[in-house]
Amino acid sequence: MIKKIGKAALLLTLAITLATDTQIHLMEQFCTGESAGIVGIDMTYNIGHNFVTPTTIRHPLLIHTISKVEPTLLGPTLIHTGHNQHSYRHFASSLVNLNPKLKNISFLGSDRALETVNGFKIHMASLQHIVCMKHLKDNVESYLKSKLCDAEYNRVHYDIFTTLLDCNTETEFKDVLEDLLSTWDSINPDISSGLLDIKQNPSEV
C-alpha cells in the first residue's frame, strides 16, 4: 500500500511524501539502532518547476551474487515545489509521523545542500550528515581547480585519489599524508587548510 502525506506549506510550497509500508519498515530496520546504515537522499533537478527527492536504503541481508555488494533499495520519496528547508522538514516530519522510531535515524548521506540536512535535523536530533564519496570528490576537485594551475592540480589530484587511496593501513596512510602535506604547502600554502575545511565542513563548500 502506498501512503500519501501532503500539505500546502508556507510560501505556497507544496510537499508530498510517498512511502510504502515496506519502505518505512526497512528504514527502521536498517537505518536506526547500533548498526544503523546510511539513508541516502539526492534531489533531482531539471524537471520543470517541481522537484523529486528520493531516499535510498542499503539492504545488508542481501548480497548480489556477482558483484558481492549489498543492493540499494528505493526508500520514501518527496515530491515538492520548493528547494528549501521547510520542504525537507516536512519530509522528515512525515516519516516520523508514519513511524516514530524513525526519529532515531543516525546518518543522512547527501550532497552539500544545507537545506536538506537542517530540515531533517529538526525532527531527527541525533542525525549525522555524511557527504557521499562522489560529492566529496566533487568538492575537492572544485576547490583544487580554484587554487591551482593545471599541472599543480593534476599533481595534487593524483596524490589524493591515487597515492592516498592505495595505502593499505592507517599507519601507512598517516605517514604518506604527512609527506604530502609538506609537498602541497610548498605548492600553495592554502591547500592543506582548505582540504581540512572541506573534510570538517563539507556542506559549506
Side-chain angles (χ1 to χ4, degrees):
M1 184 180 81
I2 296 180
K3 295 183 178 180
K4 298 182 180 180
I5 300 178
K7 62 179 68 175
L10 297 176
L11 302 179
L12 300 180
T13 295
L14 180 67
I16 301 174
T17 297
L18 304 180
T20 67
D21 292 334
T22 299
Q23 289 171 334
I24 295 298
H25 172 73
L26 292 177
M27 186 170 278
E28 177 196 346
Q29 183 178 2
F30 299 132
C31 302
T32 63
E34 294 183 358
S35 57
I38 300 171
V39 174
I41 185 169
D42 196 5
M43 187 182 74
T44 301
Y45 292 86
N46 301 321
I47 52 174
H49 298 294
N50 302 310
F51 302 96
V52 176
T53 301
T55 60
T56 56
I57 307 164
R58 298 292 291 270
H59 198 310
L61 302 183
L62 300 176
I63 299 294
H64 194 283
T65 55
I66 297 177
S67 66
K68 306 302 181 183
V69 175
E70 302 166 353
T72 299
L73 308 180
L74 178 65
T77 296
L78 179 70
I79 299 176
H80 48 122
T81 57
H83 176 44
N84 51 54
Q85 181 174 320
H86 184 87
S87 296
Y88 299 106
R89 176 182 180 179
H90 164 87
F91 195 12
S93 174
S94 298
L95 296 177
V96 173
N97 284 337
L98 288 170
N99 184 340
K101 293 182 179 179
L102 295 186
K103 69 180 180 181
N104 298 317
I105 286 177
S106 300
F107 305 105
L108 186 71
S110 71
D111 60 12
R112 52 197 175 189
L114 283 175
E115 297 90 348
T116 307
V117 180
N118 291 340
F120 265 72
K121 282 187 174 181
I122 293 172
H123 296 282
M124 302 173 182
S126 61
L127 188 74
Q128 296 183 49
H129 181 214
I130 297 177
V131 178
C132 73
M133 184 61 181
K134 177 185 180 301
H135 289 115
L136 185 60
K137 184 177 181 181
D138 289 344
N139 290 354
V140 170
E141 290 176 339
S142 177
Y143 175 76
L144 293 179
K145 288 177 180 178
S146 71
K147 294 291 184 179
L148 305 174
C149 68
D150 289 346
E152 294 169 340
Y153 169 86
N154 291 335
R155 167 64 189 275
V156 177
H157 188 279
Y158 182 87
D159 289 343
I160 296 172
F161 295 106
T162 301
T163 304
L164 283 176
L165 292 184
D166 282 345
C167 293
N168 295 315
T169 66
E170 183 178 354
T171 299
E172 180 185 3
F173 180 90
K174 290 180 178 179
D175 291 342
V176 172
L177 178 60
E178 184 175 353
D179 292 337
L180 290 177
L181 289 174
S182 299
T183 301
W184 298 342
D185 285 340
S186 67
I187 296 174
N188 185 319
D190 295 333
I191 292 298
S192 297
S193 59
L195 293 174
L196 179 61
D197 186 59
I198 291 174
K199 176 180 179 294
Q200 294 176 334
N201 305 290
S203 299
E204 299 178 5
V205 177

